[in-house]
Amino acid sequence: MGKKQSLGTRLPVETKAEFVEKSAKMGMNPSEGLRYVIDLFLTGEEVASAVSQEFPDTYEEPYEPDETISTMETETPEEKPAVTEEELLETGYDELDALFEDNPLRSAQAECEIRNAYAEAANLGESPLEVVFLELLSERLGKLSRAREGYSCPRTDIELPGRIVEHVEKLYTDAFNESNTGEADEVLEIMSNLAESKAAQLYNATRKIEISFSRNDWRLIDRMIARENRTRSKEAKLKGLRELLYEFLATKVKERSSTSFFASSDPEMIEFSEALQSISITGENRSYE
């Protein structure tokens, strides 16, 4: 991939299969086929003429109209359902370009770790798959960036869905732009950090909670908070429902951290409850909010 930038688009499965098949007939993989099509589009007839001489058997026979067509009624094409997030992760398999054109060894090792991370995530069966993949990828690329002698990666030939390839390409592009030297190990280390951040971002998005109340409900909640604040000092007054919920959660976490709920006293949970309590008082946001 080097300093090149990715250019991709989402295609219907049938269209992509036809494109891959025709590329293979011309002796090209999908990436080479795409580059050929782009060159053809940019340069026009000269490339088309040269290719027609080199690959004379790749062009279809002239169209001959079928007499039966005129007797058939025109049908309105059926509306296809929208593609779901799950389908994006199960279809549209893409080729993964070499990350470092000037370092073939690290490119091969990185691709091995990427495919193994996806294979492991798919086998775990945990959800969301993208989050698990990015967490595993972060760990693997971090280790690879520090690897020297004795490094080994078991080869796996699992295909990568287009959505996963998009994540990898975006991580690479952002990491390369952030790096000072553009060297493989530096880029891999930054990719590892970015993958961890992206996993957290995606995971938090799936755990977002939205609560709706009627206007009258909100009035009652406001009255409840006002009554609660009458017995509190100025420093401990609640600003609103958000702070009340944080305080309630902080209390419950602290209570349960020293009971059978966690089997034993859990310092980490107590520390978490204190952080929640601080938010309930200050109204500040945590870094992921």
Side-chain angles (χ1 to χ4, degrees):
M1 199 177 300
K3 294 184 179 180
K4 300 178 182 178
Q5 293 188 351
S6 172
L7 175 65
T9 183
R10 312 309 302 172
L11 297 173
V13 176
E14 299 81 3
T15 304
K16 181 169 182 179
E18 185 179 357
F19 174 75
V20 172
E21 181 181 355
K22 288 194 174 184
S23 296
K25 287 181 180 179
M26 297 174 69
M28 297 182 287
N29 62 35
S31 294
E32 293 168 336
L34 181 58
R35 283 192 286 269
Y36 154 66
V37 172
I38 293 173
D39 288 340
L40 184 64
F41 175 78
L42 294 175
T43 58
E45 295 181 357
E46 294 182 5
V47 172
S49 175
V51 172
S52 65
Q53 295 176 11
E54 187 175 356
F55 304 104
D57 60 338
T58 60
Y59 291 89
E60 298 180 359
E61 295 180 0
Y63 171 73
E64 295 182 4
D66 189 342
E67 295 180 357
T68 61
I69 294 179
S70 60
T71 63
M72 297 173 62
E73 295 183 2
T74 303
E75 296 182 359
T76 303
E78 294 183 5
E79 202 172 304
K80 295 184 178 180
V83 179
T84 65
E85 293 291 316
E86 292 75 13
E87 288 173 329
L88 285 173
L89 289 169
E90 295 172 357
T91 61
Y93 292 96
D94 286 352
E95 292 289 328
L96 184 65
D97 292 337
L99 294 182
F100 312 106
E101 292 184 345
D102 57 347
N103 194 333
L105 177 60
R106 269 295 190 255
S107 288
Q109 293 169 340
E111 179 174 347
C112 181
E113 294 293 5
I114 292 165
R115 292 187 185 278
N116 272 280
Y118 177 69
E120 185 178 351
N123 288 334
L124 287 173
E126 297 180 6
S127 182
L129 175 58
E130 288 172 277
V131 172
V132 180
F133 164 73
L134 289 168
E135 289 174 342
L136 294 171
L137 181 65
S138 173
E139 181 181 350
R140 287 175 174 273
L141 293 185
K143 290 181 179 178
L144 177 59
S145 70
R146 300 184 293 272
R148 293 296 178 264
E149 298 179 3
Y151 168 85
S152 65
C153 175
R155 180 178 175 80
T156 178
D157 294 323
I158 191 170
E159 293 180 306
L160 298 174
R163 185 64 169 270
I164 295 298
V165 173
E166 288 175 4
H167 278 309
V168 173
E169 290 179 341
K170 182 67 166 61
L171 289 172
Y172 169 81
T173 301
D174 291 346
F176 184 84
N177 292 335
E178 264 189 52
S179 68
N180 295 317
T181 65
E183 303 241 346
D185 289 343
E186 182 188 20
V187 173
L188 287 170
E189 183 178 3
I190 298 174
M191 284 182 70
S192 171
N193 295 333
L194 292 177
E196 183 178 12
S197 298
K198 183 64 176 179
Q201 178 187 347
L202 289 176
Y203 183 75
N204 289 339
T206 66
R207 303 302 299 271
K208 185 177 180 180
I209 299 174
E210 294 185 6
I211 304 176
S212 299
F213 296 105
S214 68
R215 183 172 60 177
N216 190 57
D217 290 339
W218 276 115
R219 286 172 176 167
L220 295 173
I221 291 171
D222 290 340
R223 283 168 56 187
M224 176 189 67
I225 293 174
R227 290 179 181 179
E228 176 67 23
N229 281 334
R230 289 174 190 171
T231 61
R232 291 172 174 257
S233 65
K234 182 178 180 180
E235 294 77 15
K237 289 185 183 299
L238 298 169
K239 295 183 179 180
L241 178 60
R242 174 182 176 274
E243 287 71 27
L244 177 63
L245 293 175
Y246 267 110
E247 181 180 85
F248 177 79
L249 182 58
T251 302
K252 287 301 177 184
V253 170
K254 193 169 185 178
E255 286 178 0
R256 299 298 184 179
S257 65
S258 58
T259 66
S260 58
F261 186 83
F262 289 103
S264 62
S265 180
D266 191 331
E268 187 177 7
M269 293 300 295
I270 294 176
E271 182 180 347
F272 177 51
S273 72
E274 291 173 349
L276 295 175
Q277 184 71 53
S278 174
I279 293 172
S280 71
I281 297 174
T282 63
E284 295 177 352
N285 290 344
R286 293 176 69 86
S287 60
Y288 49 73
E289 288 189 274

